[in-house]
Amino acid sequence: MMNGLLFWLILLAAFFLAYALGTRAAWARTVAATPEPPEMPAERMAALASRLEPILKITGGVLQFDGTLRGRVEETFRQVRDAFAGEAVTPLLLEGEHNEVRVMLLPGRMAIPAARPKWAWHGLLFLATLATTTWAGALHAGVNLLNQPGRFAVGLPYSLGLLLILGAHELGHYFTAKAHGIRVTPPFFIPVPFALGTFGAFIRIKSLTPDRRALFDVAVAGPLAGMVFAIPALLIGLRYSQVIPAGATGHGVEIGSSALLACLARFSLGSSAFVGNHLLLHPLAFAGWLGLIVTALNLLPIGQLDGGHISHALFGSRHAHAISAIALAALFVLALFVWPGLMFWAIIVFFIAGTRDAPAADDVTPIGWPRRLLGYFSLLLLLLIILPVPHALYETVGLHSPYL
């Protein structure tokens, strides 16, 4: 069953990437739509010059100033932004060359026109996804609800567990964005009447991120919120999962194929989680396991993924772009020489996530050490999910890694 669902698992992860595309599209439309630079009053330009040692450039209709800000970066940029508050422009503070900064004055406001959320539409999609995932969960348990509709409860552990994880992930993004004054839509759930019963959920960002701290907070909130529910779902579900002894016929998840799964299995199952065993996951455990996989895929430090935004906030735009390109190339190398099943995923990431994400308005001010430590923890979490139990440790913990 697990191998047959691999293709749909990748598709589920691919749709999880879609939420971030709105910001990048808004950036592209704003820059491309105006061939002429904005005409700025002399007093506004003088206000900018008083806070920046500028070299003026005009690129594609955008006023661009390269130089050194006078004073503290965050405070000075706030003064620049306030100086242009009455004009139809959007100031951006970006990384420049040689430790300088770049101030760009984009014509217009970088935001999609406001519209009231269509809550009825969002609710209808959620209810449809609840129905399709319940059907899928029952089918995985051998019950066809088309023939036995009265047994719908069989599919609820999988359905409710998965929707709770997906919903928590997207609501983590949603409420954090709202706290930072970023306009976003409520989550869109995507129902499908086959396979996993859903292609996931996404939100759409409709305004510019104010600074790198907000970029980081919104990005990290989703995976962490999802994990708050994925780990308990997996721990509870593991107690009702079937352990397949080494050498026995049957399919399942290799206990040692993920360091985090190995630790959780050891904690939940105790001595039954030993060398070579596989797990035939209970529907709730399967939902939790999907939550781990979706979290790991989102935490990859590539382009528009949550991990790409986290990397951008941690290391800056240029370094994040280099990390993203290396990580994407590594996906293709692994697909070619280690596991061909990664090729489809690498292609999806290439076309949807890219290697760059949209900048924040203040894309220079650092995020501070508390956020940095949380960012490093999120990267550690990615490694714990995707890496098998290390060779030096798997005998110590009584587990087996199929890759060694």
Side-chain angles (χ1 to χ4, degrees):
M1 181 180 67
M2 303 304 297
N3 291 335
L5 292 176
L6 179 59
F7 175 76
W8 301 111
L9 174 61
I10 296 174
L11 286 182
L12 170 66
F15 275 87
F16 245 80
L17 309 180
Y19 81 91
L21 295 179
T23 300
R24 183 170 60 178
W27 161 272
R29 284 195 300 271
T30 303
V31 174
T34 307
E36 298 295 332
E39 295 184 2
M40 302 303 304
E43 62 272 15
R44 304 290 187 188
M45 303 300 288
L48 176 60
S50 68
R51 297 175 177 89
L52 178 73
E53 298 172 1
I55 300 175
L56 172 62
K57 299 179 183 179
I58 300 177
T59 305
V62 177
L63 291 177
Q64 174 179 309
F65 300 84
D66 290 346
T68 304
L69 284 177
R70 299 188 177 106
R72 293 181 56 212
V73 174
E74 183 179 13
E75 179 181 349
T76 305
F77 178 67
R78 183 167 55 250
Q79 294 171 345
V80 170
R81 185 181 56 204
D82 293 343
F84 290 90
E87 303 296 331
V89 297
T90 298
L92 298 181
L93 176 61
L94 309 177
E95 293 178 319
E97 301 292 336
H98 309 297
N99 295 322
E100 294 184 340
V101 298
R102 174 171 299 162
V103 175
M104 300 179 69
L105 302 180
L106 298 183
R109 299 294 183 186
M110 286 193 60
I112 300 173
R116 289 185 178 182
K118 298 179 180 179
W119 289 102
W121 174 240
H122 292 278
L124 181 61
L125 285 175
F126 174 79
L127 292 176
T129 308
L130 177 62
T132 55
T133 51
T134 300
W135 177 85
L139 195 62
H140 297 163
V143 177
N144 189 335
L145 293 184
L146 296 178
N147 300 326
Q148 299 173 289
R151 300 188 63 188
F152 69 92
V154 174
L156 289 180
Y158 167 78
S159 175
L160 296 179
L162 183 59
L163 290 186
L164 187 62
I165 295 167
L166 299 182
H169 184 116
E170 295 308 324
L171 289 176
H173 291 313
Y174 177 83
F175 287 115
T176 307
K178 286 290 189 180
H180 282 284
I182 303 170
R183 291 198 288 110
V184 291
T185 66
F188 292 92
F189 286 84
I190 306 174
V192 293
F194 50 86
L196 299 177
T198 180
F199 279 160
F202 68 95
I203 64 173
R204 190 180 180 198
I205 298 176
K206 291 194 169 186
S207 62
L208 186 65
T209 304
D211 50 46
R212 278 165 59 174
R213 287 174 296 189
L215 178 69
F216 175 86
D217 291 348
V218 174
V220 80
L224 294 184
M227 288 294 288
V228 167
F229 295 95
I231 290 178
L234 188 54
L235 285 173
I236 296 171
L238 282 172
R239 293 186 175 273
Y240 301 96
S241 300
Q242 179 182 350
V243 178
I244 303 174
T249 58
H251 301 284
V253 176
E254 163 63 49
I255 292 177
S257 61
S258 162
L260 182 57
L261 176 61
C263 293
L264 295 176
R266 192 69 171 175
F267 178 80
S268 181
L269 300 174
S271 60
S272 61
F274 57 86
V275 176
N277 283 0
H278 286 65
L279 292 169
L280 188 59
L281 294 176
H282 180 271
L284 182 59
F286 183 44
W289 181 78
L290 283 178
L292 296 187
I293 299 301
V294 167
T295 298
L297 294 176
N298 274 275
L299 285 175
L300 290 173
I302 299 176
Q304 295 285 317
L305 300 179
D306 293 337
H309 295 311
I310 292 171
S311 177
H312 182 158
L314 284 173
F315 309 116
S317 178
R318 284 180 294 175
H319 290 99
H321 175 58
I323 293 171
S324 180
I326 293 171
L328 186 58
L331 275 182
F332 280 100
V333 170
L334 290 173
L336 289 173
F337 299 104
V338 179
W339 182 39
L342 277 176
M343 182 57 69
F344 182 73
W345 165 243
I347 293 172
I348 288 291
V349 170
F350 176 78
F351 283 105
I352 294 182
T355 57
R356 287 188 183 274
D357 60 345
D362 176 0
D363 209 42
V364 174
T365 302
I367 62 175
W369 273 106
R371 286 182 173 87
R372 284 190 173 276
L373 294 176
L374 184 58
Y376 297 145
F377 170 78
S378 70
L379 297 178
L380 174 62
L381 181 61
L382 167 64
L383 295 178
L384 290 175
I385 295 173
I386 65 174
L387 293 181
V389 178
H391 182 72
L393 296 178
Y394 80 93
E395 290 183 351
T396 302
V397 297
L399 296 168
H400 170 66
S401 169
Y403 307 115
L404 301 174

